Amino acid sequence: MFEMIEGGVTSAEGFEAAGGAAGIKKNGSADMALIYCKKPCIVAGTFTSNQVKAAPVKWDRALVKEGREARAIVVNSGIANACTGKEGMDACAKTADAAAQALGIDASSVLVASTGVIGSQIPVDKITAGVNKLAGELGDTIEKGTEAAKAIMTTDRVHKEIAVNMTFSDGSMATLGGCTKGSGMIHPNMCTMLCFLTTDASISRDMLQKALSSVVPDTFNMVSVDGDTSTNDTCLLLSDGLAGNPEITAEDSDDYRTFTEALRFCAESLGKKMAKDGEGATCLFECDVIHADTKEHAKKLARSVVSSTLTKAAIAGHDANWGRILCALGYCGVDFDPEQVTLTLESSAGRLVIYENGSGTGYSEEKATEILSQDEIHAICDMHMGDFDASAWGCDLTHEYVNINADYRS
């Protein structure tokens, strides 16, 4: 059992954070965050599937794979530290050394993450100065967590954070919280953003990684803004065990299920926040595929619809062009009978069946436009094939997306 609470990355016991400006961004806005844990944490992670991987991804993957304990995460926005060769890896090491000295911890326990322009070298002097500054400003308040969430934004318009309390079978409680950044270059697989999750639940390393790996495919991997998978995608989940609940060590336990359900809720909520905040977007566009013949086919179909450029453009124009949705279903590689499909549009303005039995339904265009003019829109695709469902999240495609990305480096 779990319930949502106010908070983010500092909500779990033992975690602190800070955020501020280190001078990396040209406009002088906040561009660096530090997350710190008072005791060593076990850590789980998932990373980009892009063959071009940024230096921080390589650094963090090694730490997770080797099973090292973590004490801190240093994050910068503005520069991705991707395609930067040996100098980029050296920057990761120097960042970890600076954090180790400032916090009195081992450099091997420092994770690093970056987001921003690909190809530029990290200004290590600004990063190390930023680490020293933020180390003296750490705090465990909700406001400090929000400060960190805001500092990792790039083209994001809003910061993204969440927290929940979990109640385990013996009545003990634990907290899970976190933050993400992500607005553009968002597409499966993997993770399509930076995400930092923290928990005080006592759980084994194997179960922590298993929980994260089981949740990501149906949450973060079902988000698409623009069809581009980043070089820097990183999702890290840290646990310090300070809640004092009986350690979760078995996948078939009620407590593991509670933890996984809470983690899934947080990941899905953060994923939706990213989709709704897509570059230039005016709405969240969700596709729910129901009654597919397999789970994998349901996921393929849903992802295809939210990734379709033409469908996204139609949503931006509040145009119920159901042919584009049907077309996107048809080219994703799943066999189905188009005449058996039912397409429905839904939002806070109502629900409308627009296609069934092989043709349009003669629906009201005025009502369809009203439904598509809301800030959260659902397309429901009933395949009438089986018992499997899946949801994917995206956004509309507007002129502003081009404006943002035409001069991203400026």
Side-chain angles (χ1 to χ4, degrees):
M1 184 174 69
F2 66 90
E3 62 176 355
M4 190 165 66
I5 60 173
E6 184 182 4
V9 76
T10 57
S11 294
E13 185 179 355
F15 290 94
E16 299 180 339
I24 299 167
K25 290 182 179 176
K26 296 178 182 178
N27 63 8
S29 62
D31 53 22
M32 192 168 174
L34 177 62
I35 300 168
Y36 171 71
C37 186
K38 295 177 182 178
K39 65 162 287 188
C41 295
I42 57 172
V43 57
T46 52
F47 304 93
T48 184
S49 61
N50 197 318
Q51 290 299 305
V52 181
K53 293 177 172 58
V57 170
K58 298 175 184 178
W59 179 275
D60 292 347
R61 281 205 315 170
L63 189 152
V64 172
K65 184 177 180 180
E66 293 169 15
R68 300 183 210 161
E69 293 181 324
R71 294 292 304 276
I73 309 172
V74 180
V75 193
N76 78 271
S77 59
I79 295 178
N81 195 11
C83 303
T84 48
K86 183 180 182 300
E87 189 173 342
M89 292 304 298
D90 289 344
C92 293
K94 291 175 182 177
T95 301
D97 287 340
Q101 293 179 24
L103 298 169
I105 60 178
D106 291 335
S108 63
S109 68
V110 179
L111 295 148
V112 295
S114 300
T115 180
V117 176
I118 294 171
S120 299
Q121 295 291 348
I122 286 283
V124 176
D125 56 337
K126 293 182 179 180
I127 292 287
T128 55
V131 168
N132 289 323
K133 178 177 180 290
L134 294 180
E137 299 175 356
L138 289 166
D140 61 5
T141 64
I142 291 174
E143 291 75 16
K144 280 293 181 179
T146 299
E147 188 179 280
K150 290 180 176 179
I152 64 175
M153 294 164 55
T154 49
T155 56
D156 307 60
R157 291 169 296 186
V158 297
H159 69 282
K160 305 163 184 71
E161 57 185 341
I162 196 167
V164 297
N165 278 338
M166 301 168 280
T167 303
F168 296 118
S169 56
D170 69 338
S172 60
M173 296 182 66
T175 300
L176 170 67
C179 62
T180 67
K181 67 80 52 187
S183 184
M185 200 175 277
I186 304 288
H187 191 67
N189 294 312
M190 172 354 268
C191 256
T192 58
M193 77 291 166
L194 296 184
C195 177
F196 309 109
L197 299 160
T198 57
T199 184
D200 50 21
S202 178
I203 182 171
S204 71
R205 188 187 309 276
D206 287 346
M207 290 300 100
L208 192 71
Q209 183 65 58
K210 184 175 288 291
L212 184 63
S213 296
S214 71
V215 161
V216 162
D218 292 328
T219 56
F220 293 131
N221 276 0
M222 297 300 287
V223 178
S224 180
V225 168
D226 50 17
D228 282 289
T229 299
S230 170
T231 56
N232 289 59
D233 304 337
T234 298
C235 179
L236 297 170
L237 171 57
L238 280 65
S239 170
D240 61 16
L242 289 177
N245 61 287
E247 185 182 21
I248 301 169
T249 59
E251 186 178 358
D252 60 355
S253 68
D254 289 339
D255 289 351
Y256 176 81
R257 282 187 284 272
T258 294
F259 182 83
T260 304
E261 287 170 7
L263 181 60
R264 187 180 307 278
F265 173 80
C266 289
E268 182 176 314
S269 298
L270 291 170
K272 287 181 178 180
K273 289 175 186 285
M274 286 192 297
K276 192 171 185 176
D277 192 34
E279 289 176 340
T282 65
C283 69
L284 172 69
F285 175 43
E286 176 174 336
C287 179
D288 302 314
V289 169
I290 60 176
H291 301 134
D293 56 342
T294 71
K295 180 69 172 179
E296 188 54 40
H297 283 172
K299 291 168 69 172
K300 267 189 174 183
L301 291 160
R303 278 198 302 251
S304 187
V305 172
V306 301
S307 302
S308 163
T309 301
L310 287 176
T311 300
K312 289 157 62 70
I315 298 298
H318 307 155
D319 178 15
N321 191 339
W322 54 261
R324 293 181 176 182
I325 298 175
L326 199 66
C327 181
L329 294 171
Y331 60 57
C332 75
V334 175
D335 290 329
F336 64 89
D337 183 352
E339 296 192 0
Q340 295 299 313
V341 175
T342 301
L343 300 181
T344 303
L345 294 177
E346 185 178 40
S347 74
S348 60
R351 182 182 177 97
L352 195 64
V353 176
I354 57 173
Y355 171 90
E356 63 181 345
N357 300 323
S359 63
T361 60
Y363 56 87
S364 163
E365 289 287 357
E366 291 76 12
K367 184 61 180 178
T369 297
E370 182 186 2
I371 290 172
L372 293 174
S373 298
Q374 310 309 308
D375 65 354
E376 294 191 7
I377 298 160
H378 289 235
I380 302 153
C381 307
D382 191 339
M383 309 307 294
H384 295 289
M385 296 169 67
D387 300 321
F388 296 90
D389 306 334
S391 296
W393 301 278
C395 59
D396 57 344
L397 179 62
T398 69
H399 295 290
E400 185 61 22
Y401 177 84
V402 177
N403 294 338
I404 290 169
N405 285 283
D407 60 358
Y408 181 68
R409 295 195 306 161
S410 299

